[in-house]
Amino acid sequence: MAQLSVNVNKIATLRNSRGGNIPNLLHFSELILNSGAHGITIHPREDERHITTEDVFSLQNFLIQYNRNVSFRREFNIEGEPSERFVNLVLKAKPDQATLVPVRPGEITSDHGFNLNDKSEADRLAPIIEKFHKENIRVSLFMDTDFSQYKTAKEIGADRIEFYTGPFVHAFDKSEEAGKVYYREYETAAENAYKLGLAINAGHDLDTNNLKLFSHIPHLEEVSIGHRLITQSLIDGIEKTVKSYLKILSKETES
């Protein structure tokens, strides 16, 4: 079963829209984990429009305390751009996993994977991955389905790739048949990544409709889901929503 890490950026966005501490990020993170999620993901952007630097360390301390009282350890995943700011933040927070993501200035959300055909990009990432490994931090790279680049990802030290699932989701939103066309690209890419020794994560707009198909991607280790999960929780509540995602990931809905 693929693990579910819930991205809580949107909780922080709602809080920041009014100031103060409502909704409380730690309270919602606890509800999410108590509902069975395997971890918490955050993307602390430079402008702090959702997750702040203070949030990073509050969540770090919360997860340390939470894991002392549970039967299976929940993970902390921090994603962000390969900048000096982000690297220093990760080295201080020491999450279980750092997901490196290419970021364009002013972007609303991540919308593409790394281009490792660009040697300068690979050269920039390699020493960052090495620094994280020295602190026993697992490293995942946000990637598209061009598996010709995965050999480079492995060579520079990545432990995992995280599929940017935007193209699949946008096609699936039009029709399930259109989604299946893109699904096959991810399926092939996953097999090629696995052959190289890369584990596979995935994320971006996955929900309880498209995940019924995407959860069958071979060798899928983890999905990181935020926007659509939090949106659904406005209707169904956070506990019911998290459990509905977990049910799909466990394949319990299949006959």
Side-chain angles (χ1 to χ4, degrees):
M1 172 182 171
Q3 307 287 283
L4 172 64
S5 185
V6 177
N7 187 316
V8 295
N9 283 9
K10 282 298 183 293
I11 303 297
T13 300
L14 182 58
R15 175 201 63 192
N16 293 352
S17 69
R18 285 288 295 270
N21 199 30
I22 298 173
N24 185 283
L25 191 66
L26 300 186
H27 174 65
F28 271 87
S29 296
E30 185 173 19
L31 290 174
I32 287 164
L33 297 182
N34 286 349
S35 300
H38 303 93
I40 296 294
T41 290
I42 55 173
H43 185 155
R45 290 181 179 269
E46 187 173 11
D47 61 10
E48 296 197 337
R49 63 177 181 259
H50 34 63
I51 295 296
T52 66
T53 300
E54 182 180 354
D55 289 332
V56 174
F57 297 104
S58 294
L59 282 163
Q60 176 197 35
N61 291 327
F62 160 73
L63 282 161
I64 289 171
Q65 297 299 320
Y66 189 93
N67 281 323
R68 288 175 178 166
N69 301 302
V70 292
S71 57
F72 74 90
R73 191 173 185 283
R74 270 58 164 203
E75 289 200 344
F76 191 21
N77 173 43
I78 305 181
E79 59 183 34
E81 80 287 351
S83 66
E84 183 178 2
R85 173 201 73 89
F86 181 74
V87 170
N88 289 337
L89 190 61
V90 169
L91 292 174
K92 289 178 183 177
K94 292 181 169 57
D96 300 279
Q97 177 173 265
T99 301
L100 292 169
V101 181
V103 172
R104 292 191 182 104
E107 70 180 17
I108 296 174
T109 186
S110 301
D111 60 5
H112 64 289
F114 283 109
N115 175 17
L116 297 185
N117 289 325
D118 180 349
K119 187 177 183 298
S120 65
E121 190 80 296
D123 290 344
R124 180 168 67 126
L125 293 173
I128 295 173
I129 294 171
E130 184 179 7
K131 286 180 181 179
F132 289 167
H133 280 169
K134 285 180 179 178
E135 298 298 327
N136 296 314
I137 300 167
R138 185 172 69 240
V139 180
S140 180
L141 299 182
F142 203 58
M143 300 292 294
D144 299 310
T145 55
D146 178 6
F147 55 82
S148 68
Q149 300 183 42
Y150 298 171
K151 185 173 184 290
T152 302
K154 183 66 176 177
E155 288 172 348
I156 63 176
D159 303 292
R160 298 184 179 186
I161 58 169
E162 178 176 329
F163 283 139
Y164 166 55
T165 54
F168 161 76
V169 168
H170 298 152
F172 193 97
D173 284 348
K174 294 176 183 176
S175 74
E176 185 172 349
E177 287 304 311
K180 287 179 180 178
V181 173
Y182 276 92
Y183 171 85
R184 286 189 284 272
E185 287 188 17
Y186 288 90
E187 190 175 45
T188 301
E191 292 288 9
N192 280 274
Y194 184 75
K195 288 176 184 176
L196 290 167
L198 291 165
I200 297 152
N201 296 344
H204 193 84
D205 280 345
L206 294 170
D207 61 26
T208 49
N209 291 316
N210 57 50
L211 194 59
K212 290 174 184 175
L213 173 58
F214 200 87
S215 64
H216 290 274
I217 288 292
H219 317 298
L220 185 63
E221 293 280 346
E222 175 184 294
V223 292
S224 174
I225 304 176
H227 179 75
R228 293 200 183 192
L229 187 152
I230 298 302
T231 300
Q232 184 176 334
S233 75
L234 296 175
I235 300 169
D236 295 335
I238 197 70
E239 180 179 4
K240 181 178 177 181
T241 299
V242 169
K243 288 182 177 180
S244 68
Y245 276 83
L246 291 169
K247 187 174 183 179
I248 291 167
L249 290 170
S250 69
K251 312 296 195 303
E252 289 180 18
T253 55
E254 295 179 4
S255 56

